[in-house]
Amino acid sequence: MRMSCLQENLSKGLAIVGRAVATRTTLPITNNVLLATDPSAGRARLKLAATNLEIAVSCWIEAEVEEEGAITIPARLLTDFVNSLSPPEKHLPSERIDLALSPKTRTLELKCARFEARISGHDVDEFPPIPHIGDGMMTKVETELLATAIRQVVFAAATEESRPVLTGVHAEFEDEKLTLAAADGFRLAVHTLPLAQPVAGKTAVIIPGRSLAELNRLLALPRKEGQEEAVEITINPQKSQVLFRLQDVEMVSQLIQGTFPNYSQLIPQSYVTKAVVDVSAFSMATRTASIFARDGSGIMRLVITPGEELSPGKITVSARAEEVGDNMGEIDAIVEGEATKVAFNSKYLMDVLTILEEEQVALETTSPSSPGVFRPIGTENYLYVVMPMFVQW
């Protein structure tokens, strides 16, 4: 292999695939990144790929190729060296970096301006194969819509491995819509978004929460001018892997096998009290109360009071911790129904208030022992259900 590319492009490419490099592994080769020339697109490109066996990320950068070849190189060492070659003055143009592989010694030689390095690598035959998904259910989703949906759902997935299906996000593709749902046993987040390309029939899979979080990082990357504003999604016929294809970037993830709970049964169909509040004011009140809640088992108490003739309704947000102190804050609310009290885990409240994009949110409750439902005002495609905490009032 003999080729050259811009140091800036190589640095960006390594950053894209770097998160898929294994950190703690019994397979040392997964600490490496794959470098391979790829003429398949009709033009010379360098393919970079990494995998931790749960996800695999590949990206392509422009390159001038004199001789084809492939090698795997320790990812951290290569990344640190390439990044160190960035010009100290940001306005200076990126230098060209030349790469040459010695097949006999499996050593990659890098030259950039007056700097050079030699890094020992391993044959590509030792590297786990990057899954190729050509057949299966295929659709497309607009990038911004998918990014918002992931952000509003993935945080509710479980982090403990005791119930593996709950560490994933249930994705249901049907006709012209995609529904994402995540639950950890204490809360549930559901987001529905339109598909840019309809599907035939219904397909449901469980995507690891970590994989979707990584996909969201890729979706946030700057896009080239004229780049398609949609993500292509392909699920293989066995429903064991899913491919997300962006411009010059692909991510393949393993899917979680199992049965996701019937979450629709967890969503209350009616309410006794509904309070509409300003998201920023509610967020400030919960953030303040959480300072005391963290020393009081995370308990945050809400007292919802309907308005009277001349005074608006309100929600009183409070928290207390024995031997530490307590606090209380009030926010205005448009209250429909009866006065009520309910307590929630402060983290679960702050999590949802942080990701809402709307200015107002409705909290629907039935009793102090029933789940609370949060629905943003102005949209019907998202809801968040959180279980109450049982407290002494």
Side-chain angles (χ1 to χ4, degrees):
M1 180 173 73
R2 187 177 299 275
M3 51 151 295
S4 62
C5 61
L6 290 178
Q7 178 273 337
E8 180 183 12
N9 292 344
L10 183 56
S11 179
K12 288 179 179 178
L14 290 170
I16 289 172
V17 302
R19 294 284 287 271
V21 175
T23 50
R24 299 174 183 174
T25 178
T26 55
L27 192 62
I29 192 68
T30 55
N31 292 322
N32 285 16
V33 61
L34 170 70
L35 283 73
T37 55
D38 184 2
S40 61
R43 64 185 192 277
R45 297 190 301 174
L46 172 65
K47 176 183 178 180
L48 306 172
T51 179
N52 59 15
L53 303 184
E54 182 177 276
I55 65 170
V57 178
S58 305
C59 80
W60 289 261
I61 63 174
E62 300 294 331
E64 294 181 6
V65 178
E66 295 180 27
E67 186 179 317
E68 304 286 340
I71 190 69
T72 75
I73 297 292
R76 184 175 179 181
L77 180 61
L78 177 62
T79 302
D80 288 348
F81 175 71
V82 172
N83 289 346
S84 72
L85 300 174
S86 299
E89 292 83 7
K90 298 298 182 183
H91 64 276
L92 293 179
S94 176
E95 293 280 0
R96 190 182 82 167
I97 184 167
D98 298 313
L99 296 86
L101 173 64
S102 172
K104 293 183 180 179
T105 61
R106 294 179 298 186
T107 299
L108 184 67
E109 183 179 84
L110 302 97
K111 292 183 179 181
C112 182
R114 300 170 71 179
F115 299 90
E116 60 181 73
R118 280 158 295 280
I119 304 177
S120 298
H122 294 83
D123 286 336
V124 294
D125 295 341
E126 303 175 30
F127 197 74
I130 304 298
H132 174 74
I133 302 178
D135 300 322
M137 187 223 75
M138 196 276 282
T139 185
K140 292 184 179 181
V141 186
E142 287 190 23
T143 302
E144 296 298 332
L145 295 180
L146 182 58
T148 298
I150 293 173
R151 187 171 63 254
Q152 293 189 344
V153 166
V154 74
F155 70 91
T159 53
E160 296 181 0
E161 301 285 344
S162 55
R163 293 185 64 187
V165 293
L166 295 185
T167 64
V169 173
H170 185 262
E172 184 177 278
F173 302 82
E174 184 177 13
D175 298 330
E176 298 180 350
K177 68 177 183 178
L178 164 61
T179 302
L180 299 180
D184 62 4
F186 301 99
R187 54 183 172 170
L188 164 71
V190 183
H191 188 113
T192 303
L193 64 156
L195 294 173
Q197 181 174 316
V199 296
K202 180 192 295 186
T203 300
V205 295
I206 304 174
I207 306 172
R210 289 189 298 265
S211 299
L212 284 182
E214 184 58 31
L215 174 63
N216 224 21
R217 186 183 72 89
L218 297 176
L219 295 177
L221 293 172
R223 290 187 289 276
K224 298 176 183 177
E225 188 174 345
Q227 182 173 324
E228 186 177 5
E229 295 289 327
V231 182
E232 184 179 303
I233 304 174
T234 305
I235 297 171
N236 68 350
Q238 297 79 22
K239 294 186 180 180
S240 60
Q241 296 172 331
V242 58
L243 165 67
F244 299 95
R245 180 178 286 122
L246 294 74
Q247 187 75 26
D248 295 332
V249 179
E250 291 182 2
M251 188 185 95
V252 178
S253 171
Q254 301 293 331
L255 295 173
I256 298 174
Q257 304 304 310
T259 303
F260 200 80
N262 184 3
Y263 60 85
S264 60
Q265 297 178 344
L266 306 175
I267 304 172
Q269 299 303 308
S270 61
Y271 60 85
V272 173
T273 306
K274 177 180 178 180
V276 177
V277 296
D278 182 81
V279 171
S280 60
F282 201 1
S283 180
M284 181 178 179
T286 56
R287 190 167 60 247
T288 304
S290 69
I291 299 171
F292 293 84
R294 64 191 177 203
D295 291 315
S297 303
I299 298 172
M300 186 175 295
R301 294 169 168 82
L302 305 182
V303 178
I304 304 174
T305 307
E308 298 177 355
E309 290 185 1
L310 299 177
S311 60
K314 65 180 181 179
I315 297 181
T316 303
V317 183
S318 64
R320 63 173 178 264
E322 297 296 333
E323 301 180 3
V324 175
D326 59 66
N327 93 303
M328 183 184 72
E330 286 186 359
I331 55 175
D332 291 336
I334 301 173
V335 181
E336 172 189 330
E338 304 173 4
T340 190
K341 300 176 181 179
V342 65
F344 296 117
N345 183 300
S346 60
K347 180 182 184 304
Y348 296 166
L349 285 190
M350 288 192 296
D351 281 349
V352 68
L353 294 173
T354 300
I355 55 88
L356 291 180
E357 298 178 348
E358 290 75 16
E359 295 183 358
Q360 291 183 312
V361 64
L363 167 58
E364 301 171 358
T365 61
T366 302
S367 71
S369 59
S370 301
V373 183
F374 292 82
R375 300 179 190 269
I377 300 298
T379 179
E380 297 182 358
N381 66 347
Y382 181 71
L383 64 85
Y384 179 75
V385 181
V386 59
M387 299 301 293
M389 299 185 75
F390 299 98
V391 299
Q392 295 293 329
W393 290 90

